[in-house]
PDB file of all heavy atoms in Angstrom:
ATOM      1  N   LEU A 410      17.488  67.212  21.071  1.00 75.00           N
ATOM      2  CA  LEU A 410      16.057  67.555  21.014  1.00 75.00           C
ATOM      3  C   LEU A 410      15.148  66.393  21.411  1.00 75.00           C
ATOM      4  O   LEU A 410      13.956  66.412  21.104  1.00 75.00           O
ATOM      5  CB  LEU A 410      15.673  68.055  19.611  1.00 75.00           C
ATOM      6  CG  LEU A 410      16.426  69.290  19.101  1.00 75.00           C
ATOM      7  CD1 LEU A 410      15.969  69.622  17.686  1.00 75.00           C
ATOM      8  CD2 LEU A 410      16.219  70.476  20.027  1.00 75.00           C
ATOM      9  N   VAL A 412      12.950  64.212  24.039  1.00 74.00           N
ATOM     10  CA  VAL A 412      12.192  64.502  25.247  1.00 74.00           C
ATOM     11  C   VAL A 412      12.056  63.249  26.107  1.00 74.00           C
ATOM     12  O   VAL A 412      12.429  63.227  27.283  1.00 74.00           O
ATOM     13  CB  VAL A 412      10.802  65.069  24.897  1.00 74.00           C
ATOM     14  CG1 VAL A 412      10.003  65.329  26.171  1.00 74.00           C
ATOM     15  CG2 VAL A 412      10.935  66.347  24.083  1.00 74.00           C
ATOM     16  N   LEU A 445       6.827  65.406  13.688  1.00 73.00           N
ATOM     17  CA  LEU A 445       6.652  66.853  13.843  1.00 73.00           C
ATOM     18  C   LEU A 445       7.171  67.360  15.182  1.00 73.00           C
ATOM     19  O   LEU A 445       7.192  68.576  15.407  1.00 73.00           O
ATOM     20  CB  LEU A 445       5.171  67.216  13.705  1.00 73.00           C
ATOM     21  CG  LEU A 445       4.500  66.838  12.374  1.00 73.00           C
ATOM     22  CD1 LEU A 445       3.025  67.200  12.418  1.00 73.00           C
ATOM     23  CD2 LEU A 445       5.180  67.546  11.210  1.00 73.00           C
ATOM     24  N   ALA A 446       7.565  66.448  16.065  1.00 73.00           N
ATOM     25  CA  ALA A 446       7.962  66.869  17.411  1.00 73.00           C
ATOM     26  C   ALA A 446       9.185  67.778  17.377  1.00 73.00           C
ATOM     27  O   ALA A 446       9.177  68.874  17.944  1.00 73.00           O
ATOM     28  CB  ALA A 446       8.227  65.642  18.286  1.00 73.00           C
ATOM     29  N   GLU A 447      10.245  67.363  16.706  1.00 74.00           N
ATOM     30  CA  GLU A 447      11.464  68.173  16.681  1.00 74.00           C
ATOM     31  C   GLU A 447      11.279  69.480  15.919  1.00 74.00           C
ATOM     32  O   GLU A 447      11.734  70.539  16.395  1.00 74.00           O
ATOM     33  CB  GLU A 447      12.616  67.338  16.110  1.00 74.00           C
ATOM     34  CG  GLU A 447      13.016  66.182  17.020  1.00 74.00           C
ATOM     35  CD  GLU A 447      14.176  65.390  16.465  1.00 74.00           C
ATOM     36  OE1 GLU A 447      14.642  65.731  15.351  1.00 74.00           O
ATOM     37  OE2 GLU A 447      14.629  64.435  17.124  1.00 74.00           O
ATOM     38  N   PRO A 448      10.634  69.491  14.722  1.00 78.00           N
ATOM     39  CA  PRO A 448      10.396  70.794  14.074  1.00 78.00           C
ATOM     40  C   PRO A 448       9.559  71.739  14.928  1.00 78.00           C
ATOM     41  O   PRO A 448       9.833  72.948  14.978  1.00 78.00           O
ATOM     42  CB  PRO A 448       9.670  70.419  12.775  1.00 78.00           C
ATOM     43  CG  PRO A 448      10.083  69.021  12.499  1.00 78.00           C
ATOM     44  CD  PRO A 448      10.239  68.384  13.832  1.00 78.00           C
ATOM     45  N   LEU A 449       8.535  71.201  15.616  1.00 79.00           N
ATOM     46  CA  LEU A 449       7.716  72.068  16.457  1.00 79.00           C
ATOM     47  C   LEU A 449       8.523  72.618  17.627  1.00 79.00           C
ATOM     48  O   LEU A 449       8.335  73.778  18.030  1.00 79.00           O
ATOM     49  CB  LEU A 449       6.502  71.290  16.972  1.00 79.00           C
ATOM     50  CG  LEU A 449       5.424  70.969  15.934  1.00 79.00           C
ATOM     51  CD1 LEU A 449       4.316  70.134  16.541  1.00 79.00           C
ATOM     52  CD2 LEU A 449       4.840  72.262  15.341  1.00 79.00           C
ATOM     53  N   MET A 450       9.432  71.808  18.167  1.00 77.00           N
ATOM     54  CA  MET A 450      10.280  72.300  19.243  1.00 77.00           C
ATOM     55  C   MET A 450      11.192  73.425  18.748  1.00 77.00           C
ATOM     56  O   MET A 450      11.375  74.452  19.427  1.00 77.00           O
ATOM     57  CB  MET A 450      11.124  71.160  19.824  1.00 77.00           C
ATOM     58  CG  MET A 450      10.325  70.134  20.610  1.00 77.00           C
ATOM     59  SD  MET A 450      11.355  68.794  21.230  1.00 77.00           S
ATOM     60  CE  MET A 450      12.456  69.698  22.296  1.00 77.00           C
ATOM     61  N   LEU A 451      11.749  73.273  17.551  1.00 84.00           N
ATOM     62  CA  LEU A 451      12.603  74.330  17.008  1.00 84.00           C
ATOM     63  C   LEU A 451      11.796  75.594  16.725  1.00 84.00           C
ATOM     64  O   LEU A 451      12.232  76.717  17.038  1.00 84.00           O
ATOM     65  CB  LEU A 451      13.285  73.832  15.730  1.00 84.00           C
ATOM     66  CG  LEU A 451      14.358  72.761  15.904  1.00 84.00           C
ATOM     67  CD1 LEU A 451      14.827  72.255  14.550  1.00 84.00           C
ATOM     68  CD2 LEU A 451      15.529  73.325  16.686  1.00 84.00           C
ATOM     69  N   ILE A 452      10.607  75.429  16.143  1.00 88.00           N
ATOM     70  CA  ILE A 452       9.760  76.596  15.851  1.00 88.00           C
ATOM     71  C   ILE A 452       9.349  77.281  17.144  1.00 88.00           C
ATOM     72  O   ILE A 452       9.370  78.525  17.247  1.00 88.00           O
ATOM     73  CB  ILE A 452       8.526  76.155  15.037  1.00 88.00           C
ATOM     74  CG1 ILE A 452       8.964  75.667  13.643  1.00 88.00           C
ATOM     75  CG2 ILE A 452       7.529  77.295  14.905  1.00 88.00           C
ATOM     76  CD1 ILE A 452       7.850  75.052  12.834  1.00 88.00           C
ATOM     77  N   SER A 453       9.002  76.500  18.141  1.00 86.00           N
ATOM     78  CA  SER A 453       8.606  77.095  19.429  1.00 86.00           C
ATOM     79  C   SER A 453       9.769  77.850  20.058  1.00 86.00           C
ATOM     80  O   SER A 453       9.590  78.943  20.616  1.00 86.00           O
ATOM     81  CB  SER A 453       8.116  75.996  20.373  1.00 86.00           C
ATOM     82  OG  SER A 453       7.002  75.312  19.821  1.00 86.00           O
ATOM     83  N   ALA A 454      10.973  77.294  19.967  1.00 86.00           N
ATOM     84  CA  ALA A 454      12.131  77.978  20.535  1.00 86.00           C
ATOM     85  C   ALA A 454      12.400  79.294  19.828  1.00 86.00           C
ATOM     86  O   ALA A 454      12.692  80.316  20.469  1.00 86.00           O
ATOM     87  CB  ALA A 454      13.346  77.066  20.453  1.00 86.00           C
ATOM     88  N   VAL A 455      12.270  79.309  18.484  1.00 90.00           N
ATOM     89  CA  VAL A 455      12.490  80.549  17.722  1.00 90.00           C
ATOM     90  C   VAL A 455      11.421  81.575  18.067  1.00 90.00           C
ATOM     91  O   VAL A 455      11.705  82.778  18.248  1.00 90.00           O
ATOM     92  CB  VAL A 455      12.518  80.246  16.218  1.00 90.00           C
ATOM     93  CG1 VAL A 455      12.553  81.550  15.411  1.00 90.00           C
ATOM     94  CG2 VAL A 455      13.714  79.373  15.872  1.00 90.00           C
TER      95      VAL A 455
END
Side-chain angles (χ1 to χ4, degrees):
L410 301 178
V412 178
L445 301 177
E447 293 182 358
L449 288 177
M450 290 178 62
L451 290 174
I452 293 173
S453 300
V455 172

